[in-house]
Amino acid sequence: MSHPAHTVAFRATGVDMFFGTPENRVVALKQADFEARRGELIMLVGPSGCGKTTLLSVIAGTLTPQAGTVEVFGQRLDGLGQEALTTFRRRSLGFVFQSFNLIPTLTVVENVMVPLLIQGRPFDEAHARALAILDKVGLKGREEGRPNALSGGQQQRVAIARALVHEPPLLICDEPTSALDKDTGAQIMQMVRDLSRSPERCVVVVTHDHRIFRFADRIAEMEDGRISRVVDDPKLLDTTHL
Amino acid sequence: MYRLALNMLFGDRAKLAMLLCGLAFSALLMAQQSSVFFGIMSWTYTPMVNIRAQVWVSDPMVEQVNDAKPLRDTDLGRVRSVDGVAWAAPLHTSFVQARMQDGNFKLITLVGIDADTFAGAPAVLSQGRIEDLRLPDTVIVDEWGAALMGRMSVGPDGKPKNTPLQVGDTFEINDIQARIVGICRVKRAFTGGPFVYTTYDRAKGYTLGARRTLSFMLVEPQKGVAPAELCDRIERDTDLKAWTSDTVIWSWGERSLARNTFWWFWTNTGIPFSFGTAVLLGLFVGIAISGQTFYSFVLENLKYFAAIKAMGAGMGVIARMLFVQAFTAGLIGFGLGAGMAQAIGRVMIEKGMPPFVMYPQILWATFALVLGISFVSAVIGIIKVSRVDAASVFRG
Ligand SMILES: Nc1ncnc2c1ncn2[C@@H]1O[C@H](COP(=O)(O)OP(=O)(O)O)[C@@H](O)[C@H]1O
Ligand SMILES: [Mg+2]
């Protein structure tokens, strides 16, 4: 660890995020501090409504907090304009959503090509790279089908392929297994872990599925809009409320 | 990304079919309604089509072809002496009552043409010969008139039966016999009933006491003299008004009698308004349908555009994707609609009912409208996508 800036993937400090009108205000994040390193898979756990998705959105630059600073790979997100934030997401982020968000009118391989085409890569290169990663997630032969013809687990594998095809240094997964059954969820997490592992990459997984805690290097627990503690071993967590 | 934008559009065949049907239907509606409108309006200058001559000369007060102000017979000689005139023939037109053999009266447009030259004679005779007009008491009626003035009887099946007038049948105009020697095929008119052709001299007889019967003069320019140029000369050398016979109503020249007639009806009668409201309704329904189908297409894809936006696509890229989709659908929809309008138009033109004039301008205007609708829908979609919070994609 010669250069500390290389080890920190992102750092959010003192983040406040409110929704609604001043009279009718919902506090989603309250002085939240959250930090992760390159090379690790960190999970963000906590009861529904505690602010996990909001915190992810702040780190992804899709929400701008009212207070606090967010730094991702040494770059401060506050003060960046919409265009710079868009460029940042395009270059640095991969997303896996709870509801997959695959485009139903495109084929599987076309869905996976989207991040590369957004980056302006040539169609043929994007096509070849998408085919290669679909092979890795075990969907060889399904490339030309439509996402809706696949099972939930298969669709989430397409989403993982799409999130990783452009090799982003930060992979953000919001409840990637909550729409899946137990075994499929475990398989998906195994795949995320196998494919995304890299000394340069940081993976954040939001979940309240304690059956997949074992895939985490560290687990951050969230309560009422802030991180209450970070542990290395899932057994240290009180999972009764999850 | 544009290739994917197109694939998104073509990906769902059922929805695409809906979208294209909406666009095509509205393009068809707009083109068809406008064509019928201009078809009806074109009836106003029907005499210009049915009575063929390169140059028409009228009293200076005449504003439109259905309202002739009689000329002096001596005017014919004055026009004939204008440099560049090959020949000039008299023309009589008037609206008169014809009495059928069953005693009923029908309004007709009586057209008297020069018996020497037959200038202004109908282009197509489905029965008879034009030369037979030189026989006594003879007329040529149009097909529509032959049916309109036909004899009603009870057929063998007990149903009323109309027997159109035939060559050899007779009727009366102002108690003078008119014997049919030919049936012609001409365009229908907005005013004045069917066309009945006779000779100029006989028309004088049919209109009895009319002091002056010279309604217009039909003039042929000498070789190499342009009709508009000859009009200038006639107006310079006489105090009469001269007109060209072109029926393009879109240019702003003062020379075309058809164009002046069209715009005279446009400004002086309620006809454009009463038929125009139907056209506007068609336009409105067309715009509503295509706008609506497009808008729902955009709404359905909003979620996916939001995801693409979250993944780092700038609004510029998304805007161009939406434009590509909108204009592609607009183009195909217009193509289908315009094609159908053409096909329907062909049938209508063949039948003559309803009248149908599809100017290229109508197609261009429809094209512009459909693209405009596509453009507006795309802009609405772009505004929607730009408003949607990229963070919303994390929510279920
Ligand atoms: N766009 C929004 N508008 C209003 N309230 C919101 C919005 N997003 C989140 N919230 C509120 O913020 C709190 C945290 O939400 P969220 O981050 O989605 O929680 P979690 O992902 O942990 O379930 C909740 O009370 C939620 O209702
Ligand atoms: Mg959430």
Side-chain angles (χ1 to χ4, degrees):
Chain A
M1 304 296 142
S2 55
H3 203 301
H6 273 286
T7 62
V8 174
F10 63 81
R11 177 185 285 140
T13 320
V15 173
D16 283 346
M17 184 81 216
F18 318 117
F19 291 107
T21 56
E23 307 89 62
N24 199 351
R25 130 183 309 196
V26 178
V27 179
L29 297 176
K30 194 166 55 190
Q31 287 298 302
D33 299 321
F34 188 35
E35 184 184 309
R37 298 186 279 266
R38 286 185 190 257
E40 76 172 342
L41 192 160
I42 190 165
M43 280 189 187
L44 189 55
V45 306
S48 194
C50 71
K52 305 181 297 291
T53 297
T54 307
L55 187 52
L56 274 193
S57 305
V58 167
I59 292 162
T62 55
L63 278 182
T64 307
Q66 279 88 0
T69 59
V70 182
E71 196 183 300
V72 186
F73 303 122
Q75 185 178 30
R76 289 274 295 263
L77 296 190
D78 41 311
L80 287 188
Q82 273 311 317
E83 206 160 313
L85 280 174
T86 305
T87 309
F88 154 74
R89 285 203 297 276
R90 177 159 71 227
R91 297 222 179 106
S92 310
L93 298 190
F95 293 96
V96 177
F97 309 99
Q98 174 180 348
S99 54
F100 318 141
N101 271 322
L102 300 172
I103 301 171
T105 48
L106 294 182
T107 62
V108 165
V109 65
E110 284 167 346
N111 267 284
V112 176
M113 288 161 72
V114 167
L116 293 171
L117 294 177
I118 290 174
Q119 287 185 350
R121 297 303 170 94
F123 194 89
D124 292 339
E125 180 202 325
H127 194 249
R129 283 172 67 178
L131 288 181
I133 196 155
L134 279 169
D135 190 14
K136 280 195 201 160
V137 298
L139 288 174
K140 201 175 174 68
R142 311 304 295 264
E143 298 93 340
E144 298 303 328
R146 291 289 155 85
N148 291 344
L150 302 178
S151 69
Q154 286 172 323
Q155 290 191 43
Q156 198 59 302
R157 281 193 265 162
V158 177
I160 291 168
R162 182 178 63 179
L164 291 174
V165 71
H166 55 309
E167 301 186 335
L170 179 57
L171 176 63
I172 285 178
C173 312
D174 194 5
E175 315 227 15
T177 63
S178 65
L180 306 174
D181 64 58
K182 176 174 174 279
D183 289 342
T184 314
Q187 279 168 21
I188 287 295
M189 265 323 290
Q190 186 68 53
M191 185 165 283
V192 168
R193 203 178 159 87
D194 292 346
L195 289 181
S196 63
R197 259 299 143 122
S198 143
E200 293 302 310
R201 182 178 290 133
C202 172
V203 182
V204 192
V205 178
V206 163
T207 185
H208 49 236
D209 180 359
H210 58 83
R211 295 163 311 194
I212 63 169
F213 287 176
R214 61 192 161 95
F215 294 102
D217 297 318
R218 289 196 302 152
I219 299 178
E221 198 177 8
M222 226 181 149
E223 240 172 88
D224 291 338
R226 54 182 312 170
I227 306 285
S228 50
R229 61 177 174 153
V230 181
V231 299
D232 292 334
D233 182 350
K235 293 195 186 67
L236 298 173
L237 284 177
D238 169 18
T239 57
T240 50
H241 63 276
L242 292 178
Chain B
M1 244 5 235
Y2 309 122
R3 200 155 146 190
L4 283 204
L6 287 181
N7 289 354
M8 267 173 93
L9 180 65
F10 291 110
D12 189 334
R13 291 290 152 85
K15 289 215 183 80
L16 179 69
M18 282 263 295
L19 179 62
L20 291 182
C21 278
L23 285 167
F25 178 69
S26 46
L28 169 67
L29 202 61
M30 294 188 274
Q32 199 268 0
Q33 288 285 86
S34 321
S35 297
V36 170
F37 175 75
F38 283 106
I40 287 172
M41 287 300 286
S42 80
W43 279 358
T44 61
Y45 55 81
T46 287
M48 300 301 303
V49 178
N50 290 351
I51 303 164
R52 296 161 310 132
Q54 294 214 49
V55 170
W56 289 52
V57 177
S58 72
D59 182 90
M61 298 305 286
V62 164
E63 289 180 292
Q64 51 112 339
V65 70
N66 299 290
D67 175 36
K69 300 208 166 37
L71 297 156
R72 279 184 224 94
D73 283 343
T74 51
D75 288 335
L76 206 49
R78 293 166 62 210
V79 169
R80 280 175 178 151
S81 64
V82 172
D83 188 28
V85 171
W87 50 253
L91 178 76
H92 170 84
T93 62
S94 61
F95 303 144
V96 295
Q97 297 284 347
R99 196 164 75 100
M100 304 298 102
Q101 285 199 324
D102 61 8
N104 282 325
F105 284 93
K106 289 265 156 56
L107 183 72
I108 59 166
T109 300
L110 182 67
V111 179
I113 58 176
D114 180 38
D116 298 329
T117 58
F118 289 126
V124 181
L125 288 185
S126 50
Q127 289 179 44
R129 298 184 314 138
I130 192 77
E131 289 77 14
D132 290 344
L133 269 190
R134 291 189 180 125
L135 302 173
D137 299 337
T138 54
V139 295
I140 292 175
V141 300
D142 70 28
E143 287 175 345
W144 175 51
L148 197 73
M149 303 191 287
R151 226 169 299 125
M152 293 304 291
S153 58
V154 178
D157 52 358
K159 288 183 187 143
K161 181 164 164 276
N162 179 29
T163 313
L165 293 182
Q166 304 274 328
V167 168
D169 286 344
T170 60
F171 57 94
E172 285 176 3
I173 303 170
N174 284 330
D175 297 330
I176 301 168
Q177 177 177 275
R179 186 162 55 85
I180 298 171
V181 291
I183 307 283
C184 62
R185 184 171 302 152
V186 296
K187 188 175 146 83
R188 268 180 66 166
F190 200 78
T191 47
F195 277 69
V196 176
Y197 289 83
T198 187
T199 62
Y200 179 75
D201 291 332
R202 200 170 307 121
K204 277 186 173 178
Y206 282 134
T207 53
L208 299 176
R211 205 160 50 82
R212 292 200 222 153
T213 47
L214 184 59
S215 313
F216 292 96
M217 288 172 278
L218 305 180
V219 178
E220 178 76 12
Q222 280 170 2
K223 252 213 163 87
V225 180
E229 161 66 16
L230 186 60
C231 289
D232 289 340
R233 290 190 202 168
I234 293 170
E235 289 193 359
R236 202 180 49 217
D237 294 357
T238 68
D239 53 355
L240 303 170
K241 191 140 179 66
W243 311 83
T244 62
S245 59
D246 75 278
T247 52
V248 180
I249 57 163
W250 297 108
S251 55
W252 296 111
E254 282 292 307
R255 281 271 169 247
S256 161
L257 184 52
R259 188 186 312 136
N260 272 268
T261 303
F262 179 95
W263 292 110
W264 186 89
F265 272 80
W266 185 276
T267 45
N268 292 301
T269 71
I271 295 158
F273 181 77
S274 49
F275 287 99
T277 42
V279 177
L280 282 184
L281 201 68
L283 286 184
F284 185 76
V285 169
I287 290 171
I289 290 175
S290 47
Q292 170 58 36
T293 39
F294 226 108
Y295 185 61
S296 62
F297 173 80
V298 167
L299 283 193
E300 269 161 30
N301 283 296
L302 198 57
K303 186 175 155 196
Y304 307 113
F305 278 112
I308 291 172
K309 188 177 163 189
M311 285 189 265
M315 275 317 293
V317 172
I318 288 172
R320 271 169 277 161
M321 287 177 74
L322 276 161
F323 278 128
V324 164
Q325 294 177 334
F327 285 133
T328 305
L331 268 175
I332 300 175
F334 167 77
L336 293 174
M340 284 190 280
Q342 292 264 24
I344 291 174
R346 201 155 292 166
V347 174
M348 284 182 174
I349 286 169
E350 211 135 277
K351 286 184 151 180
M353 274 303 285
F356 194 92
V357 176
M358 188 146 80
Y359 291 107
Q361 282 87 345
I362 291 178
L363 285 184
W364 284 113
T366 307
F367 184 62
L369 264 172
V370 170
L371 285 199
I373 292 162
S374 307
F375 178 83
V376 170
S377 309
V379 167
I380 292 173
I382 290 163
I383 291 171
K384 287 237 156 219
V385 177
S386 76
R387 293 248 172 93
V388 70
D389 179 4
S392 71
V393 292
F394 288 111
R395 271 169 231 123

